[in-house]
């Protein structure tokens, strides 16, 4: 496994639409392993392939900070089938370092995807997990959270005294 460079806002690749994954191969296996390592190294709760410069529909998510590597989700060609409810809260992104903004997301989603064995999985997610899925899936279509945020981007540093930790995707 290896760390990959995280692309930051302003890089054109973050604005492109990603392509579906047709089959698993060694190259994609390595990409997934590297994405997990890169996400954990950056203390993020999610990472999408375009954030490491690869235009494939793959995201990794792990909202359980306490147990890294325990149960990360690898979602290939993910599609949201249902969404309902509403949650409003601060969001950050590893590609927009040092910033947060308030974003409204559904509080519950049902997502269908292929796991790394290319087996189809459907699962229901709520709260932070649902927020992470929405944020990461947006990346696959070139959308950044700042495009859908209600408020302006704010500096994390300026608010460090108020918040102990921010979630970054
Ligand atoms: Ni992000």
């Amino acid at each position: 496994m290896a760390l990959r460079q995280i692309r930051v806002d302003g890089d054109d690749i973050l604005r492109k639409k990603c392509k579906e994954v047709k089959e698993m191969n060694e190259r994609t296996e390595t990409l997934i392993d590297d994405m997990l390592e890169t996400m954990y190294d950056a203390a993020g709760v999610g990472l999408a392939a375009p954030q490491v410069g690869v235009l494939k529909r793959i995201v990794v998510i792990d909202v359980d900070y306490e147990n890294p590597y325990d149960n990360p989700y690898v979602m290939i060609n993910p599609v949201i089938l249902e969404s309902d409810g509403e949650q409003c809260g601060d969001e950050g992104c590893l590609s927009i370092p040092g910033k947060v903004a308030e974003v409204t997301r559904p509080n519950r989603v049902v997502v269908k995807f292929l796991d790394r064995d290319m087996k189809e999985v459907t699962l229901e997610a709520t709260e932070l997990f649902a927020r992470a899925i929405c944020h990461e899936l947006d990346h696959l279509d070139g959308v950044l959270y700042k495009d859908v945020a209600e408020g302006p981007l704010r500096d994390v540093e300026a608010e460090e005294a108020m918040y102990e930790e921010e979630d970054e995707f």
Side-chain angles (χ1 to χ4, degrees), residues 51 92-95 135-136 139 169:
Q51 291 184 275
C93 179
L94 294 173
S95 294
H135 178 115
E136 297 315 330
H139 273 299
F169 311 87

Side-chain angles (χ1 to χ4, degrees), residues 19-58:
K19 292 199 175 75
E20 290 211 338
V21 177
K22 304 280 184 213
E23 53 163 19
M24 186 53 58
N25 55 36
E26 206 172 316
R27 198 181 163 90
T28 303
E29 286 278 7
T30 303
L31 169 67
I32 290 167
D33 288 338
D34 290 353
M35 284 173 65
L36 287 167
E37 188 176 354
T38 304
M39 175 183 75
Y40 288 123
D41 179 72
V45 298
L47 188 73
Q51 291 184 275
V52 294
V54 180
L55 292 172
K56 287 182 178 168
R57 301 189 80 79
I58 302 175

Side-chain angles (χ1 to χ4, degrees), residues 61-130:
I61 296 174
D62 188 352
V63 295
D64 180 7
Y65 318 100
E66 314 260 303
N67 304 294
Y69 283 103
D70 228 29
N71 189 25
Y73 283 95
V74 175
M75 299 184 181
I76 299 166
N77 304 339
V79 178
I80 291 175
L81 301 176
E82 283 176 41
S83 63
D84 50 59
E86 203 175 275
Q87 57 174 317
C88 190
D90 274 345
E91 227 166 89
C93 179
L94 294 173
S95 294
I96 310 176
K99 303 282 185 186
V100 291
E102 202 166 77
V103 186
T104 300
R105 301 285 192 184
N107 197 50
R108 172 186 167 273
V109 298
V110 176
V111 63
K112 182 177 81 171
F113 56 93
L114 301 174
D115 66 15
R116 62 188 302 171
D117 299 320
M118 299 300 273
K119 292 213 175 75
E120 192 175 294
V121 178
T122 301
L123 68 79
E124 182 187 74
T126 60
E127 299 176 28
L128 178 60
F129 190 19

